[in-house]
Amino acid sequence: MISGWMRVVVLLALAPAAASAFETVDVIPYPSRGAFFPDAYPRDPTFPTTLWAQAGLMFDSNPFRLADGTDTQAVLGKDERSDAVMRYGIGAAYAGRVIGRQRVRLRANGEYYDYLRYNTLDHFAYDLGAEWRWEFTNDLSGSVGYDHAFGLGDPAEVQRPAKDEITTDRLYADAAYRLGASFRLRGGVSQDRGRREGDRPKVYTHGTTVRAGVDYVTGLGNAIGVEGRRSEGSAPLDEIQDPTRQFANNEFEEDELAVVLSYALGTQLLVSGRFGHTNRTYTQAVVEPFDDSTGRLTISWRPEPKLNFTFAVFREPRAILDVDAAHVDVRGVQFGVAWAPTLKLVFSARFLNERRRFQASTDGSLAPRDDTERVWRFAVGWEPQRHFTVGTGLDYGQRESNTLGRDFDYVAVMANLRYDW
């Protein structure tokens, strides 16, 4: 069985660079939430129903990620490119047993973002989810769930105060069957839909994924296995890439075969990974297919109970609604450290180096956009008393690109106050 601190550290290492403007303070590993449980500090008791509210403020020196020589007035309509953002959020979750071994998990989160200078980006983002976790006998278990989310895309991709309103829906089901003492069969299916609306051309996507695998599991919970995945769906180019709409029915097919691993070397070191080969092709658009090795390796090390280190290296193709690309070839490395000298105080730092190669052009003679982004993140979390947490963070990022106007650097400073019932 993988301990709680390892799970938290892995999640911290794998968080995407642009998941949220306030991500640096949102992922602070507070000891009371189990980040250093069980050897260093006890975690707060958990209850079926949880409620929370928070308020935060962030200053970003370059939210639209403009290059140094860019004419700010011409692009943004104002002389000042920096902005401050207020965030107000509430949320609720429930996790409990319904009957027998059947359990349900529900969540609802909402956040309002108030931009003080470029207030055309003001919006309310939300995330809803429901999951039924089922068990029949000691050998068969699984889950069925649905997720729905709405929010704005990353303004750094547009490089102007234009709204990308992104809505995503996901319906999924998975199951695992224990075959004897050491083997586990598992499989799953998911349906994903997304749409991008707002100031840029509309884009609608959908995809279906089927996966199956088999694992060898030891008595200590370590596992190694093989998994196959097949995904199919739409990959339309938007009106800028495809003004004549000749590729409106473009679809993709993606296959992956991978070895998966989760192995704890004692209580201090966890190695987890996925290593395989992915092939992604398109039915209509003249886009270079992806056909290469992919994977992710994560190492989590706890040399002493109050100190955690993480390291991750990865490569994968991604389809992202924020960007005008059929897919993005993403590869990078990430390093993180968290230290909690007391139960109420924690320090964390992360570094990410990520290269993105965009595959979008219908003209094979054009060189694809190639970006390399580096982000340094530092955070301090303080819990003055039970239920209250105060987080502060500092981000510094820079990007190099082969595309004119895509180089940038920025500094962001943020603070957040949260209360959990």
Side-chain angles (χ1 to χ4, degrees):
M1 184 67 68
I2 300 173
S3 64
W5 75 267
M6 290 180 173
R7 291 191 183 93
V8 172
V9 170
V10 170
L11 291 175
L12 177 64
L14 302 188
S20 164
F22 286 83
E23 187 216 346
T24 300
V25 292
D26 288 342
V27 300
I28 292 176
Y30 290 99
S32 63
R33 298 178 184 173
F36 298 86
F37 178 81
D39 294 337
Y41 305 108
R43 66 176 302 162
D44 284 351
T46 57
F47 301 97
T49 302
T50 58
L51 303 171
W52 59 266
Q54 67 181 4
L57 173 65
M58 180 184 68
F59 170 81
D60 193 318
S61 68
N62 188 12
F64 304 105
R65 308 299 185 250
L66 302 181
D68 288 343
T70 301
D71 186 338
T72 305
Q73 175 67 38
V75 175
L76 303 181
K78 298 180 181 181
D79 292 327
E80 182 57 62
R81 63 178 60 183
S82 65
D83 204 351
V85 185
M86 293 290 298
R87 179 181 71 168
Y88 314 94
I90 57 174
Y94 173 80
R97 183 173 64 88
V98 178
I99 185 173
R101 300 182 180 183
Q102 316 311 311
R103 305 182 67 85
V104 66
R105 297 173 63 92
L106 307 172
R107 75 173 188 280
N109 304 319
E111 296 177 327
Y112 183 75
Y113 292 85
D114 182 10
Y115 287 73
L116 303 186
R117 177 172 285 119
Y118 294 96
N119 49 31
T120 57
L121 296 179
D122 293 353
H123 69 283
F124 180 76
Y126 61 87
D127 177 26
L128 308 172
E131 184 180 70
W132 169 39
R133 295 187 175 184
W134 53 266
E135 289 186 34
F136 295 107
T137 74
N138 294 328
D139 299 325
L140 184 62
S141 63
S143 64
V144 178
Y146 172 71
D147 296 319
H148 175 79
F150 170 82
L152 290 193
D154 186 357
E157 287 302 326
V158 191
Q159 293 191 303
R160 56 188 173 88
K163 274 190 172 181
D164 275 348
E165 299 176 343
I166 295 179
T167 305
T168 58
D169 294 275
R170 183 170 188 261
L171 180 65
Y172 62 91
D174 58 65
Y177 179 71
R178 184 176 178 181
L179 187 64
S182 301
F183 288 92
R184 177 179 59 202
L185 303 177
R186 53 186 172 82
V189 60
S190 62
Q191 174 73 47
D192 296 271
R193 292 185 178 274
R195 66 179 184 270
R196 188 188 76 192
E197 300 175 302
D199 296 335
R200 287 203 291 171
K202 296 181 180 180
V203 177
Y204 298 88
T205 64
H206 67 83
T208 301
T209 297
V210 178
R211 63 179 72 238
V214 57
D215 302 313
Y216 173 77
V217 185
T218 70
L220 297 176
N222 297 321
I224 184 171
V226 178
E227 181 180 278
R229 176 178 60 85
R230 169 76 173 185
S231 298
E232 297 180 355
S234 64
L237 304 182
D238 66 25
E239 295 177 0
I240 296 177
Q241 302 163 283
D242 181 23
T244 64
R245 309 308 294 154
Q246 60 178 315
F247 301 115
N249 296 321
N250 186 46
E251 296 185 344
F252 75 91
E253 297 176 350
E254 185 171 299
D255 297 291
E256 181 190 40
L257 183 63
V259 175
V260 293
L261 169 70
S262 178
Y263 199 86
L265 302 173
T267 60
Q268 293 183 312
L269 188 65
L270 170 67
V271 179
S272 61
R274 180 183 187 89
F275 316 95
H277 188 276
T278 302
N279 177 262
R280 183 181 177 98
T281 59
Y282 300 90
T283 59
Q284 289 187 334
V286 185
V287 177
E288 180 183 349
F290 183 93
D291 187 13
D292 213 327
S293 299
T294 55
R296 182 182 290 268
L297 172 67
T298 303
I299 301 174
S300 304
W301 177 46
R302 184 180 62 177
E304 62 99 10
K306 301 178 182 180
L307 183 63
N308 300 334
F309 291 94
T310 59
F311 172 80
V313 57
F314 54 90
R315 185 191 184 187
E316 58 199 16
R318 298 180 193 167
I320 309 174
L321 279 172
D322 296 25
V323 304
D324 292 324
H327 72 264
V328 184
D329 180 0
V330 183
R331 63 191 75 184
V333 295
Q334 185 166 356
F335 173 78
V337 57
W339 175 50
T342 72
L343 176 63
K344 297 181 178 294
L345 187 64
V346 60
F347 300 88
S348 66
R350 282 186 296 157
F351 169 72
L352 172 70
N353 186 95
E354 185 174 274
R355 180 183 179 188
R356 292 184 169 193
R357 189 169 181 265
F358 294 70
Q359 293 296 334
S361 177
T362 57
D363 184 350
S365 64
L366 298 178
R369 175 181 154 193
D370 196 333
D371 297 348
T372 298
E373 186 168 353
R374 301 176 185 88
V375 181
W376 292 261
R377 287 179 165 165
F378 308 92
V380 179
W382 178 45
E383 191 168 4
Q385 64 182 47
R386 189 177 177 187
H387 303 300
F388 281 100
T389 52
V390 180
T392 59
L394 170 66
D395 290 4
Y396 172 72
Q398 58 180 203
R399 182 168 70 188
E400 299 173 355
S401 178
N402 66 345
T403 303
L404 183 66
R406 288 286 179 176
D407 295 339
F408 65 74
D409 58 60
Y410 74 95
V411 175
V413 182
M414 66 205 73
N416 193 72
L417 173 64
R418 172 165 167 154
Y419 182 82
D420 291 83
W421 285 270

